Amino acid sequence: MRGARGAEGARQWCWRWRRNPLRRRDDVFEAWIVLVVWTVMVLGGALAGLVTARAADESFTRLRQDRHAVPAVLAGGTGSAVPAGESAVYDRVRATVRWRAADGKPRVGSALVPSGHKAGTRVTIWLDPQGRPTTPPPTRSAAATESTLLGLGAAVALGGLVFGAGGLARWRLDQRRYARWEREWERLGPQWGHKTP
């Protein structure tokens, strides 16, 4: 019984593809629209997600390779500083620090450091390739999570865009059908009021 219902459902779903006297050219066109939309949503969404996740992962890997940690000394206390919103966890604050550059010259700048320390405390800061203070690179696990989320977001965005475009195409097709039916009704409707001899 269940198999018969499944076969009947498949026949109903595929009626636009089978030859029958009620099938119109618009029905075949609509079937192609549905097939293309679902194919692009599934395959294109998967591809967009993978490409985005891979690009994000490579970007995070580059950040980990480009940024390096150096020892520094706090120029002022961080006990009353306001937490920096750009930190992943709000236990870091922006403070003035002193460190030695790769050429040995002393440098002074603002960097993210752990909160609650006095002036003169040794801390670790992160520098970009130009030697400027920057945020720490994401950890491997954080980068993997963010890459996955970005990939999923790209897949959903592409799927939604394609689904919307398919819906718009089907709506335009329906408008064409309604206009055709209206013309046919105007042509045949008056004949229904006449009695045949």
Side-chain angles (χ1 to χ4, degrees), residues 23-139:
R23 186 182 73 172
R24 298 158 297 186
R25 194 171 49 184
D26 284 354
D27 297 327
V28 175
F29 188 55
E30 184 177 19
W32 277 107
I33 289 172
V34 171
L35 180 66
V36 168
V37 163
W38 280 104
T39 301
V40 172
M41 278 177 62
V42 172
L43 298 179
L47 183 63
L50 289 172
V51 167
T52 302
R54 185 174 187 143
D57 192 49
E58 287 173 1
S59 173
F60 294 138
T61 300
R62 243 188 335 272
L63 279 179
R64 282 195 301 275
Q65 291 169 350
D66 290 346
R67 296 180 182 182
H68 59 283
V70 295
V73 176
L74 282 174
T78 61
S80 61
V82 178
E86 65 234 26
S87 178
V89 285
Y90 296 105
D91 62 345
R92 291 182 168 267
V93 294
R94 193 161 282 288
T96 303
V97 293
R98 293 188 307 269
W99 75 95
R100 291 212 175 265
D103 59 6
K105 293 181 181 174
R107 296 276 191 265
V108 176
S110 177
L112 283 177
V113 296
S115 62
H117 293 289
K118 297 178 183 176
T121 303
R122 293 190 174 279
V123 293
T124 299
I125 64 169
W126 289 85
L127 302 178
D128 65 14
Q130 288 75 39
R132 297 177 302 227
T134 187
T135 56
T139 62

Side-chain angles (χ1 to χ4, degrees), residues 180-190 192:
R180 197 174 299 139
W181 288 340
E182 190 174 346
R183 285 193 303 271
E184 286 295 313
W185 181 255
E186 286 173 0
R187 188 174 66 82
L188 296 174
W192 286 12

Side-chain angles (χ1 to χ4, degrees), residues 109-179:
S110 177
L112 283 177
V113 296
S115 62
H117 293 289
K118 297 178 183 176
T121 303
R122 293 190 174 279
V123 293
T124 299
I125 64 169
W126 289 85
L127 302 178
D128 65 14
Q130 288 75 39
R132 297 177 302 227
T134 187
T135 56
T139 62
R140 287 186 188 279
S141 60
T145 301
E146 196 164 342
S147 297
T148 302
L149 290 174
L150 287 170
L152 286 172
V156 168
L158 178 69
L161 186 66
V162 171
F163 188 78
L168 180 63
R170 291 179 73 188
W171 178 80
R172 291 287 300 142
L173 197 58
D174 284 342
Q175 297 306 307
R176 219 168 77 179
R177 285 179 187 142
Y178 297 151

